[in-house]
């Protein structure tokens, strides 16, 4: 079962996840971080940047692998995940740019980008800590409903719902690419520790389906149930549809190693 931690606000959730990431890097200076885009992991990156600076942690050998990339946006486009990861993660954390990987979204290589990314992951990995958000339709990375639970990095078509959800980052929904290259669910499950973050009422159904619903390709995030070490960090609105919420609170309050995920 995933450990569910209900936090008062996203910043508190970000600090909790950031502390875990930092502990991982202290134990292993060559740590491999799994990086998610979207708004949910931003509090983690903010907290992590602060902790790295305050505590003087050397991240020079840390590497990072993004979950996904749009196909057809030039890498310099402000909303390409290459740009987002550079802006939100690589620069603020002070990671070495040549150790931060994002799938290749060039349409000319879209067919082979997945295999190339799997090779790079296999050479550097496994990922020590994988940060995840969740789409309102239950997607993780860009694995839309129906994605195989054993899938690897590959070219995918986005759902119209995801394109509408992500239109806020673009001028209009028409500007959101139709295709992407995303790590597969099987790829994500190879990470040692999954941390899924979800905040706000719009995520309540997806969180409940991921944590407590049947394991099904129709809700890709339900694949976290297959992983032995998953932490789900949610605020009250995102937790509101969980049936066993009282138990999760009880387990967290009585955890032998409190405040450590
Ligand atoms: C995008 C990303 C996902 C992310 C999702 C949710 O579709 N590819 O990795 O989890 O958005 O984004 P947000 O955290 O902004 O709700």
């Amino acid at each position: 079962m995933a450990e569910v931690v209900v936090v008062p606000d996203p910043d508190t959730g970000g600090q909790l996840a950031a502390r875990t990431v930092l502990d991982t890097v202290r134990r292993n200076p060559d740590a491999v971080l799994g990086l998610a885009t979207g708004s949910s992991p931003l509090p983690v990156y903010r907290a992590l940047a602060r902790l790295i600076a305050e505590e003087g942690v050397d991240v020079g050998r840390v590497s990072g692998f993004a979950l996904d990339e749009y196909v057809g946006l030039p890498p310099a486009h402000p909303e390409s995940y290459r740009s987002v990861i550079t802006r939100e993660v690589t620069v603020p954390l002070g990671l070495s740019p040549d150790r931060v990987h994002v799938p290749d979204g060039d349409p000319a290589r879209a067919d082979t980008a997945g295999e190339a990314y799997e090779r790079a992951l296999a050479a550097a990995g496994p990922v020590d800590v994988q940060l995840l958000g969740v789409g309102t339709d239950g997607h993780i990375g860009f694995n839309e409903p129906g994605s195989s639970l054993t899938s690897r990095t590959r070219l995918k078509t986005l759902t119209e719902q995801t394109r509408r959800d992500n239109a806020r980052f673009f001028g209009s929904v028409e500007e959101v690419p139709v295709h992407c290259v995303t790590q597969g669910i099987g790829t994500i499950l190879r990470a040692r520790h999954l941390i899924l973050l979800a905040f706000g009422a719009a995520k309540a159904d997806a969180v409940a389906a991921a944590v407590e619903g049947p394991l099904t390709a129709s809700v890709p995030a339900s694949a976290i149930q297959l992983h032995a070490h998953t932490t789900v960090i949610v605020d009250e609105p995102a937790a509101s549809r969980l049936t066993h919420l009282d138990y999760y609170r009880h387990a967290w309050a009585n955890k032998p190693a409190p405040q450590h995920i």
Side-chain angles (χ1 to χ4, degrees), residues 93-144:
L93 269 56
L95 301 183
S96 240
D98 57 334
R99 289 179 192 255
V100 179
H101 308 263
V102 179
D104 185 352
D106 190 315
R109 292 184 293 276
D111 274 350
T112 54
E115 277 171 42
Y117 206 62
E118 287 287 326
R119 278 196 299 276
L121 264 167
V127 167
D128 291 290
V129 186
Q130 175 66 59
L131 299 173
L132 294 170
V134 60
T136 56
D137 63 357
H139 73 243
I140 48 174
F142 267 141
N143 293 282
E144 298 286 23

Side-chain angles (χ1 to χ4, degrees), residues 151-209:
S151 47
R152 299 294 186 217
T153 310
R154 70 231 181 275
L155 177 65
K156 285 288 287 180
T157 306
L158 297 174
T159 62
E160 287 304 293
Q161 182 176 335
T162 297
R163 293 184 69 230
R164 279 195 302 274
D165 284 351
N166 289 1
R168 66 188 194 279
F169 298 111
F170 295 80
S172 66
V173 69
E174 288 73 31
E175 289 168 61
V176 183
V178 173
H179 297 103
C180 64
V181 176
T182 181
Q183 283 191 32
I185 297 173
T187 314
I188 292 169
L189 291 177
R190 285 198 305 243
R192 291 194 163 113
H193 182 190
L194 306 181
I195 302 180
L196 187 148
L197 302 116
F199 305 113
K203 298 291 175 72
D205 285 331
V207 167

